[in-house]
Each structure stands twice: as C-alpha cells, then as structure tokens.
Amino acid sequence: MNTIRFIKQKLTAFSPEKIEIIDESSKHIGHEGAKNGGGHFFLTIVSCDFYEKSTMDRHRMIYAALEEMIGRDIHALSIKAYTPEEI
C-alpha cells in the first residue's frame, strides 16, 4: 500500500469532509530524512472533530493517528487542519 493511501486510511478516523495529501519528497532529495526512505508530506484536512480544538491539539490528534508511520514512512509532515466553517 502506498504511503499516501495509508495516511488517508489512518485519517478516516476523523470522518474528514476533505483530505488532501501532497508528496513533497522530491523537493528534499539528499535530505537526511529522505535517505532513510521517510517522505515529506503536506496535509490539508477538514473535519468536525476539530471543533473547539486548538491548532496544537489538532496536530497532536493527527500525529497520534499516524504514530506508527512517523519516523519511518513520514519524515516531515506539514499540517493544515480546519473545521468546515474555517474554510
């Protein structure tokens, strides 16, 4: 299973209205994390689960959902997490 598909599968726990993942790994060729196979990704996710959650809490929720992938499949993850009303 490719990494983007696996990330999306893990994040379905948030019942996202929108999820977009861009693989930016090619921009980081030669970077230390890229040498180990970990990718660089940009995530945009919209979910009602983020209501009344701070940006930090939203990021923690996402990192917890992707915990087993961090440091192995994912070297770097940029996150934009919104509620439906925020977009």
Side-chain angles (χ1 to χ4, degrees):
M1 178 177 288
N2 82 28
T3 302
I4 289 177
R5 197 171 3 174
F6 197 50
I7 292 170
K8 285 182 178 182
Q9 180 184 25
K10 293 286 189 180
L11 297 178
T12 59
F14 301 114
S15 302
E17 291 187 15
K18 175 185 176 182
I19 186 166
E20 180 180 320
I21 303 167
I22 300 169
D23 185 346
E24 297 184 330
S25 300
S26 63
K27 296 179 183 178
H28 301 277
I29 293 173
H31 183 268
E32 194 61 36
K35 291 178 185 176
N36 296 328
H40 290 239
F41 299 92
F42 186 89
L43 167 67
T44 303
I45 183 169
V46 179
S47 172
C48 293
D49 288 4
F50 300 138
Y51 281 124
E52 299 183 5
K53 302 279 193 268
S54 69
T55 299
M56 186 67 75
D57 287 338
R58 295 172 188 192
H59 287 212
R60 284 185 186 123
M61 292 166 66
I62 291 164
Y63 273 97
L66 300 175
E67 181 177 22
E68 68 186 51
M69 300 181 73
I70 303 297
R72 185 186 68 211
D73 304 299
I74 300 170
H75 173 70
L77 181 65
S78 297
I79 301 170
K80 298 290 184 184
Y82 304 106
T83 64
E85 289 74 20
E86 293 173 329
I87 47 176

